[in-house]
Every structure is written in structure tokens, then in C-alpha cells.
Amino acid sequence: MLKKFIDLILYSNLFIACCAVAMTWQTQLLLGQDLALTPLVGLVFCATLVIYALHRIVGMSKVKEFLDVERFHVIQTYKSHILFYAALATAGGAICFFYLNIYTQAAFVIPALLSVAYVLPFLGKKREKRLRDVHFIKIFLIAVVWAYVTILLPAIELDIWQEKRIWSIFAERSLFVFCITLPFDIRDLKVDKHNKVNTLPAKLGLTNTLRLALLLMTVFVVLCYVNYDSWSFLALLISAISTYIFIYFSPKYTHDYYFTGLMDGTMIIQFLMVWCCSFVVL
């Protein structure tokens, strides 16, 4: 029963939607705001749930030869749940969207279109390719869209997006998401090779990919040092160290809980660390 419950939470996309909320709440805290359940937070939750549901359902057509892999089998099993929650999230997201100011609504269109293009096929002569099927692009799209949604949208809602620090924080968040996405590309090497999609791990090799993650995580730490006070920096430093350890050992694991659970879960862990440190500052 416990395994079925965990599978439902992970593969119904409720967990990744909570990760998106955690990153948005973290931005609220780092920008000096009180933690609040705003319409933007609701939209981020709902939109993430819908996009990842589309990604999982559409993506199943690309992995028919790998249905014996546990995570694909589980997704197929919970397909009706995924679609049901996505339908509810679509309605909830629409309601939250209309409570945003007009500038945030307009800004939301960009990541929404990119996300839809990422998961729905529209490229190629037969319209069978998605943006994620373009060589090397998917990890950059994931990093930029996640930073846009969890950094820029809150800043636009507060009308402070023009400030230089926002763009530094945007770069910092992009680097973190980029790093935690690398293990997924390592895990998916066989699937991507089958679909003829080149990724950084396929091009660089395992050792160089881990070195790249270390380099980018180091830059992430430097940006955090520049952007925040000592307690917030300490929280993010600990998060960076622990996350890189998880990245380093990721090639040794094959069970998807390590990736969909732990690697995605580093976003929630980081938020909780920043949140705890905010009480120290207060």
C-alpha cells in the first residue's frame, strides 16, 4: 500500500507540482516577502501539474519499447489518475490566472507556450517531434522555464523585475535546476539514444558531466554569496553541497525514486532550509 501511495504521489505529478510551489515560496522569502498562498502560487502548482501530465502521457508514445521499465509501467497504470488531476488543475489554474495582474498574465504566456511546445509534437515533416527532441536543448529549456516561473513571475507580480539582483537570482536558480536535471539525462541515455536525441551526458561522457555539475554548482554558490545575507547563504550552501553529493552518486542508482523522488525533492529540501533560516533572521 505504501508503494502504491508513493507511486500515486510521484507519477500523478503532485510531487513535482509541490516542488514548483516550494521554489516559488523560496523566492517570496528571499525577496523579503511573507510566505503566502497567493493566486500565483496556485497557478504555478496547477500549471506544473498539467504540463507534466501532458509530458508523461504524450511521452509514452516515445517509449513503447521500454514499457517493461517500472516507471513507464506505473505511468501507464495511473494514466486515468494523471488525466483526471490534470483536468482539475486546468480549471484551478484558469481561476488563479484571472486573479493575477495583467502584467503577470502577459508574462505567463511565454513559459506556457515554451512548456506546451516542449511536450506536444509540432516539429518535423510528420509533426512528430517536440522541442525536447531537439538535440541538447531540453535541459536548457527546463532550467530557463523553471527559473522564469519561480523567479521572474513573482518579481513581476511585485513589480521589481527590473532590479539587477532579480536577474542574478534568475541565473542562480537556472544553474541549480540545470544541475539537478543532469542526472535525469544520465538515467535516460538509452531512451534518448533510441529516440535519436543527443544530450550533454551522451556527448560529454559520465565523468565530464559530473565535472560540469560541480563547476555549475560552484558558480551557483558564488551567486548565492553575492545575492543573500549570511543565513540564507548558509542554507543554500548546505543545499548545494548535499545536492551535488546526490548528483555524484546518481549514476549508481537505477530506481526512479532516486530521481523523481530525491533529485526533484532537492527543491523542497532547499526551500525548507531557507525557510528555517528565515526564522533565525527574524
Side-chain angles (χ1 to χ4, degrees):
M1 287 298 294
L2 178 60
K3 184 180 185 303
K4 288 184 178 180
F5 176 75
I6 294 173
D7 285 346
L8 181 61
I9 295 299
L10 292 181
Y11 299 108
S12 65
N13 307 302
L14 291 171
F15 184 71
I16 192 64
C18 289
C19 292
V21 168
M23 288 282 94
T24 307
W25 272 342
Q26 180 175 309
T27 299
Q28 288 181 350
L29 292 173
L30 294 174
L31 294 180
Q33 303 296 308
D34 293 330
L35 209 60
L37 187 59
T38 64
L40 178 58
V41 171
L43 178 60
V44 168
F45 177 86
C46 292
T48 304
L49 201 153
V50 171
I51 288 298
Y52 274 79
L54 286 175
H55 170 56
R56 292 197 189 280
I57 298 302
V58 173
M60 290 301 291
S61 64
K62 300 284 186 177
V63 295
K64 292 179 180 179
E65 293 79 3
F66 298 91
L67 290 180
D68 57 329
V69 176
E70 184 179 8
R71 72 177 184 276
F72 298 134
H73 175 72
V74 173
I75 291 169
Q76 188 67 28
T77 301
Y78 287 102
K79 184 177 179 179
S80 59
H81 288 269
I82 293 171
L83 292 172
F84 176 71
Y85 297 142
L88 290 180
T90 300
I95 294 171
C96 292
F97 179 83
F98 287 107
Y99 278 95
L100 302 177
N101 69 56
I102 190 170
Y103 301 107
T104 310
Q105 289 177 342
F108 178 75
V109 172
I110 296 174
L113 290 176
L114 286 174
S115 298
V116 170
Y118 180 87
V119 300
L120 296 183
F122 71 102
L123 297 172
K125 294 180 180 180
K126 297 181 180 179
R127 300 291 190 270
E128 79 284 5
K129 289 189 176 182
R130 307 157 291 175
L131 272 184
R132 78 179 306 279
D133 297 320
V134 178
H135 298 318
F136 304 111
I137 198 174
K138 67 176 183 176
I139 192 169
F140 295 97
L141 276 176
I142 292 170
V144 170
V145 169
W146 269 81
Y148 190 115
V149 169
T150 63
I151 297 292
L152 283 189
L153 289 184
I156 291 170
E157 188 77 353
L158 295 170
D159 195 26
I160 59 172
W161 65 273
Q162 306 95 330
E163 296 181 11
K164 289 183 179 180
R165 65 170 178 149
I166 297 301
W167 295 98
S168 180
I169 296 171
F170 177 91
E172 160 216 315
R173 182 66 53 80
S174 297
L175 288 173
F176 181 79
V177 175
F178 190 99
C179 287
I180 65 173
T181 305
L182 283 171
F184 289 87
D185 278 355
I186 294 172
R187 178 200 66 182
D188 292 339
L189 278 170
K190 289 184 179 179
V191 175
D192 288 330
K193 183 178 180 180
H194 173 78
N195 291 322
K196 299 179 181 179
V197 177
N198 284 325
T199 60
L200 286 177
K203 185 70 174 179
L204 299 176
L206 178 58
T207 300
N208 286 333
T209 298
L210 295 177
R211 288 173 179 168
L212 175 63
L214 178 60
L215 173 63
L216 296 181
M217 196 64 81
T218 302
V219 178
F220 166 81
V221 170
V222 172
L223 288 174
C224 290
Y225 179 78
V226 173
N227 290 334
Y228 308 117
D229 60 59
S230 57
W231 285 107
S232 296
F233 170 69
L234 178 61
L236 291 165
L237 174 62
I238 295 172
S239 168
I241 294 171
S242 61
T243 299
Y244 181 73
I245 292 172
F246 299 146
I247 293 170
Y248 181 81
F249 285 106
S250 64
K252 300 180 183 297
Y253 292 88
T254 57
H255 200 290
D256 192 53
Y257 283 4
Y258 192 92
F259 301 92
T260 304
L262 182 59
M263 292 311 310
D264 280 342
T266 57
M267 292 184 277
I268 294 178
I269 294 170
Q270 186 177 102
F271 158 68
L272 292 174
M273 289 181 177
V274 171
W275 188 27
C276 290
C277 284
S278 70
F279 291 106
V280 177
V281 175
L282 293 174

